[in-house]
Amino acid sequence: MDKIQIGTSINGEAVEFLCEPQQSLLEVLRDTLGRTGTKEGCSTGDCGACSVLMDGRLVCACLVLAAEAGGHEITTIEGLATDAGLHPIQQKFLEHAALQCGICTPGLIVATKALLDRHPDPDETTIRYWLAGNLCRCTGYDKIIRAVQDAARSLAHPA
Amino acid sequence: MAEAVDYKAIGTSPVRPDGVDKVTGRAQYGADLNLPGQIYGKVLRSPHAHARILKIDTSRALALPGVYGVITGQDFPEAEGGEIGGEGGGDVSDLAKNIMARDKVLYHGHAVAAVAAKSLSVAQAALDAISVEYEVLAPVLDLESAMAPGATLIDPSCFTKNLPEKPTAPSNIAAVMKLGRGNVEEGFAQADVIVEGEYRIPMAHQGYIEPHACIASCNEQGQATVWCCTQGHFEFRAMTAKVLRMHIADLKFIASEIGGGFGGKTVIYLEPLAVMLSRKSRRPVKMAMTREEVFRATGPTSGTLARIRVGARKDGTLTAATAWLAYEAGAYAGAPMGPGAMTVFAPYILPNFAVEAFDVLLNKPKVAAYRAPGAPQSMYAMECAMDELAERLGMDPIDLRLKNAAEEGTQAPYGPKFPAIGLKACLNAAKAHPNYTRPLPAGAGRGMAVGFWFNVGMQSSAEVHINEDGTVTIVEGSPDIGGSRASMALMASETLGIPYERIKVIIGDTESAGFSNVTGGSRTTFATGMAVIRACEDIIAQCKSRAASTWGIDADQVDWRDGAAIPAPGVNAALKPLALADIAAGAPKTGGPLLGRASLNAQGAGAGFSVNLADIRVDPETGKVDVLSFTAIQDAGKAIHPAYVEGQMQGGAVQGLGWALNEEYIYDANGVMQNAGFLDYRMPVASDLPMIDTVIVEVPNPTHPYGVRGVGETPIVAPLATAANAVSRATGVRMRDLPLSPPRVLEALEAAGR
């Protein structure tokens, strides 16, 4: 099958790759580029484990064709921590024990970033609806919601 | 026995040692590893629920460029007889046939062939090129048809086990189990009130977010290494060795991080296929299931039909109870009817009872363990009956339970007398909780129920290595599914008297850690924790003897306090304490490296009881239910890492609510599952739920050094009846069939003329 050459930006770095026309961004991120921080839970857009940002917008990487990523800026879980350390959302997920098995965690953290970028001070209902596309089977969501609330506080008032 | 003591590390909730890798995407789960030169395996699955395989033609698939191997049931060695013990165990030949069908397919999704190819798209093309001729048979899809005389047989060689006389005709009832005490007739004769009901609980999936995945690499001598997500890599190794008739020593299993299991990853599906394909292709073979394959072809838990009859005197004293419990096994025997039968009446003092339970074959996937396997179904029925009994007696439902609650010394229905247990403490905590006494929101009902699980011990090993600088590396063999590295490090920190941050916990592979059973049965913090504590005590004994030789005194003249050897009272007080780091630095001169070890078969796992409360509102127009509040109260013995104990309680509560309110396997008349995806098999999402309040009760388990009881499974048991009792009380109509999805609630309301 003929492959397509795509140029994109992933976590601020220019990246070029070859893909088959039917391949998803998720498949290319994980298998072609080796960025396995983005997880696969269903490949039908129902679980949110593959949440990434495309030009700042929250998308399921399994529902985006890899070829569609051309010319866009992709942010994955690997792009959140900086030289200064973990992103406050990552830190708060740890402090609140908001992960058990951890497979949904990268997607939830990326979804939380999308939420807090738009709504820096969300109420509990807003958080719950924003994260409704991200399945977690271990926690019952309680500690995740609390981590997000605390991350919002921490981003609003950096220590 | 553990007393209320001031611990330094235990009872705190520090960040888990593996946390950073899990929030940054570094942690490697089952499908995250790639090997140089790897190819991809995929499975061809049956489109029929019940059919005879007449012919499989793989020649066109093998002829495709980029296809390196094809296997079918004919490639498997003749299965050994015998059983594999433990959770996920069972009959070896059934296990082998479930991995790949031989002459018959027994459920939609049953594997019939597998291919290995250079890419996933070529592998898919190869599957499409395999032709299979089937003779389609009538499927058996519900318990009543399966158990009826003259039913279509799933396995004509299946004769019901455990009957007093060997049956003369085969049956879909693979086994029965009976349990009883006293005289049930006399008991019911003493009752002033008797309630009776039939309950249906649907087949449901564990719903872990990570699909099963593995990579196998086999060398020319037939030795293989397998990386996979598993709850127990040692058991996976044993099962794979049995199915492929290999020596255990020729197989190495490496457990990746695991993205949820809840019992569902105690069974092999892909691993032997990947080994066989790697052997054929002489390349590493990677395999991962799609979500649809996970639903169709891995083990969910049994759908169940339960009939309960329970009688009480006017004052609430239970006089007798009976339970009839039929569990769906799926295609091969092994439904959790035993634990279902043993848990159904466990919370209560019952002088007269009889339980009859059935393990029933039908054309659905073979069930696997799911959190407290068997108990949510049977206890759902009993706890609903208890609620109805409380209403009929005009009693508070907690008071009714308190009146009959098992306590230390009560003989459990399944045999032994309970040691110290926390049921009454949980009931009293529930009664005193503000969520039980505050005014009921409009349109809502308040439900409560009791949960119980035995918990298990089983085998664990641990090694404690003291590094040259006094930091500690612990090697154990229990895959960390929910934060157990943190609890191991906390128990080691407490025992050794050194800071938590200086301890690293490694889950070793099958060649670098001692044997350990699965992470299952709520056993890891209890049993593997006990091994870690013993291994730390081994280190302390060695350190005392090293200090003694350094000081020129006897080892019994040395004490260990706050991470250091000190002279015992009355011995030379001028001797300066020797900290663990000092002893580690001096180790080359005092006998060499410090290595502590323990291996054990842990006994005395303390039984875990819980009480749940919920306020649930029902919309009479649509039948939709809203959970307004939920309270989980549970005896943890001693919570080593309270935040992760709460996490188990909250997660189990929500899994139980999902099962009660939404989740079910839906089949059409041909046995094809209609909702094999997360869109239609609807698990709870964040916007469905309130915060889940928790109360950790601590009645120490006398057999564990720090009082630990398992906490992982009990949480899923009580939510089913808690939810149904709340909905029943909100509507005034007794709900018996789960899930309480809007159409079913509406149907029940309409049937009752509401």
Side-chain angles (χ1 to χ4, degrees):
Chain A
M1 200 176 297
D2 283 345
K3 290 199 172 181
I4 314 170
Q5 184 176 359
I6 299 295
T8 184
S9 153
I10 299 177
N11 301 325
E13 273 179 52
V15 175
E16 289 202 353
F17 58 82
L18 293 172
C19 66
E20 295 172 16
Q22 82 289 351
Q23 279 188 300
S24 68
L25 175 58
L26 177 61
E27 214 178 317
V28 166
L29 281 173
R30 289 181 52 82
D31 298 344
T32 310
L33 302 174
R35 317 245 172 154
T36 56
T38 304
K39 303 302 179 192
E40 176 174 350
C42 69
S43 273
T44 51
D46 299 315
C47 78
C50 65
S51 298
V52 298
L53 304 182
M54 191 154 144
D55 299 333
R57 191 172 139 227
L58 181 63
V59 295
C60 289
C62 70
L63 296 185
V64 176
L65 286 172
E68 288 181 286
H72 294 285
E73 289 190 9
I74 308 297
T75 304
T76 71
I77 187 67
E78 289 98 340
L80 264 64
T82 64
D83 293 349
L86 294 177
H87 190 284
I89 300 171
Q90 294 171 313
Q91 186 58 39
K92 292 304 174 188
F93 267 65
L94 288 179
E95 288 171 12
H96 285 267
L99 56 145
Q100 284 176 34
C101 80
I103 193 85
C104 71
T105 308
L108 270 156
I109 288 174
V110 169
T112 300
K113 178 164 184 351
L115 159 66
L116 298 182
D117 284 347
R118 271 166 199 68
H119 304 283
D121 184 23
D123 61 16
E124 185 188 331
T125 305
T126 305
I127 297 172
R128 287 187 179 276
Y129 277 88
W130 260 83
L131 300 184
N134 290 78
L135 291 175
C136 169
R137 192 59 156 173
C138 295
T139 64
Y141 303 103
D142 183 298
K143 294 189 190 304
I144 292 173
I145 306 299
R146 292 178 202 277
V148 175
Q149 290 171 329
D150 200 12
R153 282 192 291 273
S154 150
L155 284 162
H157 309 284
Chain B
M1 154 139 192
E3 298 295 330
V5 283
D6 284 336
Y7 292 118
K8 290 200 169 88
I10 285 172
T12 65
S13 294
V15 167
R16 61 198 285 169
D18 52 329
V20 170
D21 283 356
K22 287 181 174 166
V23 297
T24 54
R26 268 193 194 80
Q28 288 202 310
Y29 291 81
D32 292 344
L33 186 75
N34 293 296
L35 292 180
Q38 76 186 17
I39 57 174
Y40 298 86
K42 269 190 95 62
V43 177
L44 182 69
R45 298 186 179 278
S46 166
H48 307 294
H50 195 190
R52 198 163 278 121
I53 299 172
L54 302 178
K55 193 179 165 200
I56 304 179
D57 181 356
T58 61
S59 56
R60 286 198 309 126
L62 274 167
L64 287 176
V67 172
Y68 293 100
V70 180
I71 53 171
T72 69
Q74 303 308 315
D75 294 288
F76 277 78
E78 193 62 34
E80 274 180 71
E83 300 261 325
I84 293 177
E87 219 172 83
D91 182 88
V92 176
S93 120
D94 285 353
L95 180 67
K97 284 186 282 188
N98 192 40
I99 287 161
M100 190 158 284
R102 307 297 148 90
D103 48 346
K104 266 175 99 183
V105 290
L106 296 178
Y107 52 94
H108 181 279
H110 201 162
V112 292
V115 303
K118 68 172 185 183
S119 70
L120 280 172
S121 49
V122 174
Q124 185 58 50
L127 294 187
D128 295 343
I130 297 174
S131 68
V132 186
E133 270 178 56
Y134 295 101
E135 178 196 344
V136 178
L137 305 170
V140 180
L141 297 170
D142 64 84
L143 286 162
E144 286 99 327
S145 331
M147 297 173 83
T152 300
L153 292 173
I154 308 292
D155 175 4
S157 70
C158 174
F159 289 81
T160 309
K161 283 186 189 162
N162 308 337
L163 289 175
E165 285 170 39
K166 190 179 181 327
T168 53
S171 162
N172 290 326
I173 302 173
V176 298
M177 176 171 174
K178 287 188 179 186
L179 208 60
R181 184 186 300 156
N183 185 321
V184 170
E185 317 282 289
E186 281 175 21
F188 280 119
Q190 294 158 18
D192 297 309
V193 179
I194 295 173
V195 297
E196 206 164 354
E198 182 174 286
Y199 302 83
R200 271 168 212 278
I201 305 95
M203 178 170 268
H205 200 273
Q206 298 84 352
Y208 35 82
I209 308 300
E210 179 199 35
H212 300 250
C214 67
I215 299 192
S217 184
C218 200
N219 71 12
E220 282 68 9
Q221 272 185 303
Q223 295 155 333
T225 303
V226 182
W227 292 256
C228 61
C229 50
T230 171
Q231 289 177 243
H233 40 313
F234 290 91
E235 267 112 334
F236 268 38
R237 178 180 66 164
M239 289 181 204
T240 304
K242 286 262 187 194
V243 166
L244 299 181
R245 303 206 119 179
M246 292 173 71
H247 292 299
I248 281 181
D250 286 337
L251 276 167
K252 173 180 181 176
F253 268 70
I254 301 171
S256 67
E257 294 303 327
I258 175 170
F262 312 107
K265 287 179 186 159
T266 58
V267 193
I268 53 170
Y269 298 101
L270 299 175
E271 292 76 10
L273 307 181
V275 170
M276 289 170 80
L277 288 169
S278 176
R279 193 187 286 159
K280 275 207 166 182
S281 63
R282 292 187 296 113
R283 288 168 169 79
V285 174
K286 179 169 180 170
M287 299 185 82
M289 286 195 191
T290 63
R291 177 57 51 184
E292 184 177 338
E293 288 179 291
V294 173
F295 274 115
R296 290 197 196 285
T298 67
T301 189
S302 306
T304 306
L305 180 60
R307 297 177 187 137
I308 296 283
R309 188 163 190 251
V310 53
R313 293 187 213 277
K314 277 190 194 114
D315 69 353
T317 307
L318 298 180
T319 60
T322 59
W324 182 98
L325 308 165
Y327 283 81
E328 297 179 348
Y332 300 97
M337 57 142 187
M342 292 191 282
T343 52
V344 60
F345 299 136
Y348 305 114
I349 298 168
L350 253 175
N352 309 295
F353 68 87
V355 186
E356 201 176 6
F358 303 87
D359 181 9
V360 184
L361 302 181
L362 27 64
N363 292 116
K364 294 183 181 178
K366 177 182 176 3
V367 301
Y370 181 20
R371 233 172 171 163
Q377 295 98 321
S378 63
M379 291 187 71
Y380 162 71
M382 177 58 179
E383 288 300 296
C384 288
M386 286 293 281
D387 200 58
E388 202 174 339
L389 190 61
E391 280 191 322
R392 293 267 299 278
L393 290 165
M395 261 181 102
D396 175 279
I398 296 182
D399 288 341
L400 175 63
R401 268 93 170 174
L402 276 168
K403 178 108 197 159
N404 297 287
E407 58 192 342
E408 185 169 356
T410 301
Q411 191 170 15
Y414 52 89
K417 284 189 174 163
F418 283 119
I421 51 172
L423 173 57
K424 281 193 167 171
C426 288
L427 286 164
N428 286 322
K431 215 177 164 195
H433 200 284
N435 287 357
Y436 194 63
T437 49
R438 73 194 165 108
L440 196 59
R446 181 162 294 158
M448 65 82 52
V450 169
F452 162 76
W453 185 245
F454 319 92
N455 301 324
V456 302
M458 312 209 302
Q459 302 175 89
S460 287
S461 308
E463 283 184 6
V464 176
H465 301 257
I466 309 301
N467 302 317
E468 305 92 295
D469 61 354
T471 58
V472 175
T473 304
I474 295 175
V475 181
E476 45 104 346
S478 299
D480 179 354
I481 205 162
S484 61
R485 286 181 183 93
S487 51
M488 297 306 145
L490 283 168
M491 287 184 274
S493 167
E494 192 71 49
T495 310
L496 292 171
I498 63 163
Y500 171 82
E501 294 73 22
R502 286 192 205 160
I503 301 165
K504 184 165 189 200
V505 182
I506 310 288
I507 316 302
D509 60 55
T510 55
E511 290 182 352
S512 54
F515 182 91
S516 294
N517 284 119
V518 289
T519 292
S522 304
R523 61 172 229 90
T524 300
T525 304
F526 170 73
T528 306
M530 226 188 240
V532 167
I533 294 164
R534 297 262 165 83
C536 288
E537 288 165 351
D538 182 10
I539 287 291
I540 291 170
Q542 293 178 40
C543 284
K544 283 158 87 170
S545 118
R546 305 282 180 110
S549 68
T550 304
W551 289 332
I553 59 178
D554 289 341
D556 61 9
Q557 294 180 304
V558 181
D559 280 351
W560 186 261
R561 193 189 300 157
D562 297 334
I566 54 169
V571 185
N572 185 355
L575 292 170
K576 256 183 71 185
L578 277 172
L580 185 63
D582 304 327
I583 299 170
K589 291 179 191 159
T590 57
L594 289 160
L595 165 57
R597 277 194 288 213
S599 62
L600 46 79
N601 188 351
Q603 306 296 316
F609 284 91
S610 70
V611 175
N612 287 178
L613 308 172
D615 286 358
I616 296 184
R617 187 169 54 209
V618 182
D619 178 350
E621 300 284 316
T622 62
K624 181 174 185 292
V625 302
D626 282 310
V627 182
L628 304 178
S629 72
F630 196 96
T631 313
I633 299 157
Q634 187 177 326
D635 175 18
K638 175 69 200 171
I640 300 298
H641 188 295
Y644 280 120
V645 171
E646 290 168 5
Q648 290 295 320
M649 294 161 69
Q650 292 166 330
V654 169
Q655 276 190 319
L657 282 173
W659 199 353
L661 302 180
N662 282 313
E663 296 177 31
E664 62 180 320
Y665 268 52
I666 300 171
Y667 284 93
D668 71 8
N670 298 318
V672 176
M673 187 188 177
Q674 298 294 291
N675 58 337
F678 279 144
L679 187 63
D680 299 312
Y681 183 94
R682 198 178 175 294
M683 309 197 312
V685 302
S687 56
D688 293 334
L689 296 159
M691 293 295 189
I692 307 295
D693 298 327
T694 56
V695 178
I696 300 174
V697 169
E698 294 186 325
V699 177
N701 174 10
T703 53
H704 186 276
Y706 295 121
V708 168
R709 292 172 198 275
V711 294
E713 289 166 293
T714 300
I716 201 177
V717 179
L720 282 70
T722 300
N725 290 339
V727 173
S728 297
R729 284 174 180 259
T731 58
V733 178
R734 266 292 141 192
M735 301 289 163
R736 293 205 168 88
D737 294 353
L738 298 181
L740 298 173
S741 53
R744 189 160 287 126
V745 170
L746 266 192
E747 202 177 293
L749 295 182
E750 277 163 17
R754 302 298 159 99

